[in-house]
């Protein structure tokens, strides 16, 4: 009924499997799934390429050696930057591994939960909000 507004075909209660409307909706959702899978694969390949390019730059230049040994590097600000980077990595690891994997928390749902939602009373909600705000 809402197809004229959204452009998304759907199966109505009276449609039977194999009808034209059913096949049209099924092909739409199948094509959408294939497109989303292609996008996910493309994003993963692109991420690997960026990692390889970053490692090639680090190996091809004296960047690490210069940071460690050059006297022109201001150690105070370098240490502040390293501590901030390490803090962000710890927060990300906490969100990904500890909450999501160990405690099976769907932190996106917890973060977006409204006051009326059952998840709004989750004990992890304040921690997730602070951790996401810190990251």
């Amino acid at each position: 009924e809402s197809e004229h507004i959204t452009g998304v075909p759907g199966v109505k209660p009276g449609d039977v499997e194999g009808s034209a409307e059913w096949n049209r909706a099924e092909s739409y959702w199948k094509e959408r799934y294939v497109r989303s899978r292609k996008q996910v694969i493309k994003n993963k390949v692109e991420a690997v390429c960026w990692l390889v390019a970053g490692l090639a730059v680090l190996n091809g230049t004296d960047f690490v050696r210069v940071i460690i040994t050059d006297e022109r590097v201001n150690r105070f600000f370098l240490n502040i930057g390293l501590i901030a980077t390490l803090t962000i990595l710890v927060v990300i690891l906490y969100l990904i591994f500890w909450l999501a994997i160990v405690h099976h928390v769907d932190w996106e749902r917890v973060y977006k939960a409204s006051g009326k939602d059952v998840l709004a009373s989750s004990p992890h909600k304040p921690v997730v909000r602070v951790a996401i705000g810190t990251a």
Side-chain angles (χ1 to χ4, degrees):
E1 298 172 12
S2 63
E3 183 178 349
H4 66 282
I5 297 171
T6 63
V8 177
V11 179
K12 295 172 187 65
D15 290 342
V16 293
E17 188 173 349
S19 68
E21 287 295 315
W22 182 284
N23 290 336
R24 193 162 115 340
E26 188 176 57
S27 66
Y28 171 82
W29 289 107
K30 184 177 180 180
E31 182 181 321
R32 185 173 174 183
Y33 173 76
V34 168
R35 278 195 318 259
S36 70
R37 293 297 298 164
K38 286 180 183 177
Q39 185 66 33
V40 166
I41 292 169
K42 179 190 144 313
N43 290 344
K44 300 289 183 188
V45 169
E46 187 176 333
V48 168
C49 290
W50 278 110
L51 287 173
V52 168
L55 289 174
V57 167
L58 284 177
N59 286 335
T61 63
D62 293 334
F63 182 73
V64 175
R65 185 184 61 77
V66 168
I67 284 178
I68 293 172
T69 61
D70 199 336
E71 294 177 9
R72 295 175 291 176
V73 175
N74 188 338
R75 292 278 171 222
F76 177 74
F77 291 113
L78 176 65
N79 290 339
I80 289 175
L82 290 175
I83 289 171
T85 302
L86 183 63
T87 303
I88 289 173
L89 286 175
V90 167
V91 168
I92 289 171
L93 289 174
Y94 172 75
L95 289 173
I96 293 171
F97 292 105
W98 190 253
L99 282 183
I101 295 173
V102 176
H103 290 289
H104 307 290
V105 173
D106 183 5
W107 56 270
E108 286 185 10
R109 282 188 58 209
V110 172
Y111 183 72
K112 295 177 184 176
S114 66
K116 297 176 270 183
D117 197 348
V118 173
L119 293 172
S121 63
S122 170
H124 300 293
K125 186 173 182 173
V127 177
V128 170
R129 285 185 185 267
V130 170
I132 291 174
T134 303

